[in-house]
Amino acid sequence: MSAPAGAAGRRTLRAGLIGLGAMGRNHARVLRGLDGVELVAAVDPAGDRTGAARGVPVVHTVAELVALGVDYAVVACPTAHHEAVGLELAANGVCALIEKPLAHSVAAAERLVDAFEARGLVAGVGHIERFNPALQSLRARLEAGELGEVFQVVTRRQGPFPHRIADVGVVKDLATHDIDLTAWVTGQDYCSVAARTVSKSGRPHEDMVAVVGELSDGTVVSHLVNWLSPLKERFTAVTGARGCFVADTLTADLTFYANGAVTTEWEALRAFRGVAEGDMVRYAIPKREPLLVEHERFRDAVEGKPGDLVTLRQGLRTVQVSAAVLESAQRRTTVAVRARIADETQPEPA
């Protein structure tokens, strides 16, 4: 279906939204104001209970949305439905931005990758932390070598239980953020993980996980994630040869703690070859809403422009690592993660 050109001469893309829950409402808000995009309709079997659609038609099935003619759809329904919804969109030639995690299982994620690649469709995963200003700046500084050799990545993601989550535990809902951002900012893949989980809230899924892992270059990683803390925390620290970067993704602040060059005359301390406390710098960085930036990047990708898109194969890799975390917790042992997918443009060989 042909769409009118926007103010800058670009063709207006017709977008659909699947799911009007907590995250879906945020997507609806951004889509309504996104330049070059028209939100055509939303899909939710329960209708628009909160008024998030604001006059945009709400239909009950993906088939009804497809019949309206859309260029792409944002999938923000529960994780358990990602596979079925994604496969239906792919079968109808509709590009898709699928909320993280990509799917509820590795096999389901693989089927989604195959379906969209077979049709040559643009598809991405909504790992929103990649678009946080603090992490964007951190990655650029690591790529520029400002930290030198990276030794360790530590993340903490804690807060009260979100009652909107019912179909997955804290590993797939929250730890996938930290798994993806760690691999992304370092440019390395996970080789192994060792994890422990607990369930204290009376739900069938885990609500706390502690993970220790190793990346392909030997970097040590540690993730602490839970739904059991009244303290809301989003903390990422990357320690290396020249100091430590600390990102707070709640406030989008990035701080650098430099190694000091202070010498000591105390003989006993000189024998310990450690580091001294140096200068601390908090960077002034532009702060745009991560969800808006994510949508702009996906819109550009659909238009055929180059951009930093979280591919389905990258999303699959995160699902593989999260599955290894759960397996490790169940078996109470270290689990090796499948080898890196070298070519993200081709299906993984059997």
Side-chain angles (χ1 to χ4, degrees), residues 17-66:
L17 171 62
I18 300 166
L20 287 171
M23 196 62 202
R25 292 194 290 273
N26 285 315
H27 282 295
R29 170 181 56 80
V30 172
L31 283 167
R32 282 196 306 268
L34 187 60
D35 183 47
V37 174
E38 176 191 1
L39 178 57
V40 174
V43 179
D44 198 308
D48 186 12
R49 293 169 294 181
T50 63
R54 295 192 181 180
V56 174
V58 178
V59 297
H60 296 289
T61 67
V62 175
E64 292 175 86
L65 176 66
V66 171

Side-chain angles (χ1 to χ4, degrees), residues 57 126 238 288:
V238 182
R288 300 184 68 224

Side-chain angles (χ1 to χ4, degrees), residues 225-283:
V225 189
N226 76 64
W227 281 328
L228 300 175
S229 171
L231 167 67
K232 189 170 183 179
E233 186 178 32
R234 301 290 185 267
F235 171 94
T236 300
V238 182
T239 303
R242 296 175 183 168
C244 178
F245 283 114
V246 175
D248 182 337
T249 53
L250 283 176
T251 60
D253 287 326
L254 179 65
T255 305
F256 177 58
Y257 297 82
N259 291 344
V262 180
T263 60
T264 178
E265 297 179 3
W266 188 356
E267 180 67 30
L269 290 184
R270 282 208 308 268
F272 174 68
R273 300 178 62 185
V275 298
E277 184 178 355
D279 295 331
M280 181 186 74
V281 179
R282 193 181 75 174
Y283 298 105

Side-chain angles (χ1 to χ4, degrees), residues 70 84 141 186 233:
V70 291
R141 293 176 185 280
T186 62
E233 186 178 32

